[in-house]
Structures are given as C-alpha cells and as structure tokens.
Amino acid sequence: MLTRLKAKSERKVAKQICKVVLDHFEKEYSRELGDAWHTVRDILTSPSCWQYAVLLNRFNYPFELEKDLHLKGYHSLFQGSLPYYPKSMKCYLSRTPHRMPSERHQTGNLKKYYLLNAASLLPVLALELRDGEKVLDLCAGPGGKSIALLQCAYPGYLHCNEYDSLRLRWLRQTLESFIPQPLVNVIKVSELDGREMGDSQPETFDKVLVDAPCSNDRSWLFSSDSQNAACRISQRRNLPLLQIELLRKVKTQLKCKKKICAVYGEGAVADRMCQKWFVKFRAGDFSLDDAPWSGRPVEVDSDQIET
C-alpha cells in the first residue's frame, strides 16, 4: 500500500518557486540569519527534503498502512519522551525525508491519515486534553490541530473557529473527512474574529488552543499568484500585533471558576457567579457585594424588627 501511495506522490508536478517571495526572503533572512540562511534556503526551496508526520485516524484505523509504515522503517513520534502522550494518538515519522500523498476528500468516507509537520503536534500535546473538557481551537483552519485534539481525548465540547473564509472551508471539509457523525454533535464551527470572542464568550472553556496566524513561509514561497504574494509580504508586518492581541484576549475565555475551586475546594463558587463577576470587572466595578434586589428592603432596620 505504501509503495503505491509513494509512486502516486512522485508523479505530481514539481512546485514552482515564486520569485517575488524568494527575493524578499533573500533580503530579509540573509540579514537575520547570516551564514545559516544558505542551509535554511536549501531546505525551504526543496519540497523533497520536507518532512511530514503521518497522523493515523483512530476513527477509521488503517491497520494495513500502520504495518507498512513499520516495515518501511517509520518510527513512532515522541515515544517515551513526553509526560502527556495518549495511547490513542498514533503518529509516525520516516527516517528519510519524503511525503506520502494526501487522501482525497470523499463525502461519507473517513480518511485514514492526516499529513502534518511533526512540530504542529507539540502545542496539542501541551494542552493535555482530557475526556469531557470544553476546548476552543481559536484559529483552527485548515483543521489539523482540531483533528489531533480528537485523537487525544473525547472533549465534552469542541469549538473550532476560523476567521479566514478560505481556511474555514478547508476546516469544515477536514472535520467531515475525519470525524464520525456521533462526534459532530459536540463540535461547533464558527467564523469569528478571535479578538472579539473573549468578550462575547467569557469564562466558557477549560482549555484554549491558539495557533496564531503566522507568515507560513514554506507555503507561500510556492504561490502561483505573484500579485497575491506581494500583498502578503506587506501584510506580514502586522502579524506580530495580531498574535499579541489574540493571546491577550483568549485569557478571558478560560474558566476562572476551575482555578478558584482548585484553591478553595470544589463548590466554592458557581460558573454563573464567575461569569457575573467577569461582566462587572470588565465594566470597572470591582465590588463583590450583591446588588439590591427588587421586592426587598435595601437596608434592614434592626430596631424595627425588634418592635
């Protein structure tokens, strides 16, 4: 099976480098990296040298493919080296650089594996997702990390958000290709500005994954649209500010109740109370006293009670 897939991959037309982007990289990275740029450039411009991990889909487990991977010398990723690495996650890496072809999307059929950069799994594993937790994938497109999260555990609720419309379509298709129907009921997909979600959904999630938008150099170096590539070069300067804004805002979406109960004991405060406090604090009111209720006296006259 693996031999057939590799032959199919090698028949694909070689990618063409976008000169506008490469010229920009030559100018910027030769200054930043010095002599190391020459090595980085050789790898960046040679797709055959790129390394891809093979993440197996536990919802349509490919036993035959896994056997072939072992026979071809693939090894399990991060084996025995991380404090959190669930047995349900099966990811393999080749000892020699080459790429298996991506499976085609077919409505009604689940794919057997997902190709991704091995480093992409590190933030997923750092999240240490547990069964039943509510989790937000804030910048989810095209869906690789959402798929990886579901290989680790069964969340009680998974919110996948992607603001870019093109990446949103990829995200929806990816989820459809890898996730069985029963699990779809606990997944929500949205197209919201991540910088505004913290205000609209405070104190909602146990854990949040933020794969903030990046320059994605390796991908757009091979863009076929020079005009679009030039546009992305100019937009690239704004990415650090966007990344900071997303990271600052996402803190408001995590459940403070969970942290309070960890210190003072289970039941110390309710979810709803934490949400009310958050609304008050955001409005500049830091008092924890109850507001007056209608239908009862604001102040009690003890002398009047005694008479």
Side-chain angles (χ1 to χ4, degrees):
M1 179 179 180
L2 191 59
T3 303
R4 294 197 305 269
L5 291 171
K6 185 176 179 182
K8 180 180 177 182
S9 179
E10 289 174 348
R11 288 196 299 267
K12 290 187 176 181
V13 179
K15 294 184 176 182
Q16 298 297 314
I17 294 175
C18 179
K19 189 175 184 303
V20 173
V21 177
L22 183 59
D23 289 346
H24 175 73
F25 286 173
E26 292 278 12
K27 180 180 178 180
E28 182 171 314
Y29 288 138
S30 60
R31 182 179 68 252
E32 293 181 7
L33 303 177
D35 293 339
W37 164 239
H38 300 294
T39 303
V40 173
R41 184 187 189 281
D42 290 342
I43 299 296
L44 195 62
T45 56
S46 304
S48 61
C49 295
W50 298 353
Q51 185 61 288
Y52 290 87
V54 182
L55 178 64
L56 303 186
N57 184 14
R58 66 166 166 167
F59 305 114
N60 186 23
Y61 207 78
F63 292 99
E64 181 185 351
L65 175 59
E66 185 177 30
K67 182 179 178 181
D68 284 346
L69 290 173
H70 282 296
L71 291 174
K72 295 292 184 180
Y74 278 72
H75 62 92
S76 180
L77 196 62
F78 306 132
Q79 53 185 2
S81 60
L82 295 176
Y84 174 85
Y85 193 81
K87 293 181 179 179
S88 56
M89 174 177 278
K90 301 285 187 179
C91 190
Y92 290 92
L93 197 64
S94 171
R95 300 186 188 280
T96 57
H98 74 272
R99 175 177 178 169
M100 292 172 57
S102 300
E103 293 182 286
R104 289 185 178 182
H105 172 73
Q106 295 180 330
T107 304
N109 292 330
L110 296 183
K111 293 183 178 181
K112 294 180 173 60
Y113 62 89
Y114 187 88
L115 300 179
L116 75 171
N117 190 309
S120 299
L121 290 178
L122 291 174
V124 173
L125 295 172
L127 208 62
E128 297 190 0
L129 183 64
R130 309 294 179 184
D131 290 347
E133 289 184 322
K134 295 181 179 179
V135 60
L136 167 65
D137 189 352
L138 188 65
C139 309
K145 290 183 177 64
S146 295
I147 296 302
L149 284 169
L150 291 166
Q151 306 304 312
C152 295
Y154 292 97
Y157 175 65
L158 172 60
H159 189 149
C160 302
N161 181 71
E162 177 53 56
Y163 190 50
D164 182 89
S165 57
L166 176 59
R167 292 173 65 87
L168 178 69
R169 289 200 296 272
W170 290 344
L171 170 63
R172 292 186 186 278
Q173 191 176 88
T174 299
L175 293 173
E176 182 183 337
S177 296
F178 285 89
I179 308 305
Q181 191 59 41
L183 259 183
V184 172
N185 297 328
V186 301
I187 300 175
K188 177 181 178 179
V189 178
S190 63
E191 188 180 6
L192 303 173
D193 187 332
R195 294 168 293 184
E196 299 175 0
M197 288 185 67
D199 294 335
S200 62
Q201 299 184 38
E203 299 287 320
T204 302
F205 302 99
D206 296 301
K207 292 173 180 176
V208 180
L209 176 63
V210 187
D211 182 18
C214 61
S215 58
N216 200 10
D217 291 350
R218 187 174 65 179
S219 176
W220 60 286
L221 175 59
F222 293 90
S223 172
S224 58
D225 187 339
S226 297
Q227 185 174 359
N228 184 48
C231 180
R232 292 187 67 174
I233 289 175
S234 62
Q235 295 173 347
R236 198 167 180 258
R237 302 186 187 97
N238 300 323
L239 285 176
L241 177 60
L242 174 60
Q243 292 163 352
I244 291 172
E245 290 176 341
L246 287 169
L247 292 171
R248 283 177 175 171
K249 287 291 185 179
V250 79
K251 292 188 295 184
T252 64
Q253 295 171 278
L254 290 169
K255 289 184 177 179
C256 290
K257 179 252 185 180
K258 192 172 184 179
K259 300 176 183 177
I260 294 174
C261 289
V263 175
Y264 294 102
E266 192 61 36
V269 66
D271 286 334
R272 186 59 183 163
M273 181 58 70
C274 273
Q275 292 170 356
K276 287 182 178 179
W277 286 346
F278 182 85
V279 172
K280 290 178 66 175
F281 296 161
R282 189 174 58 190
D285 180 1
F286 297 99
S287 170
L288 297 181
D289 295 333
D290 290 334
W293 293 5
S294 61
R296 69 163 187 167
V298 176
E299 296 181 356
V300 176
D301 188 337
S302 58
D303 294 333
Q304 187 177 5
I305 292 177
E306 292 176 358
T307 59

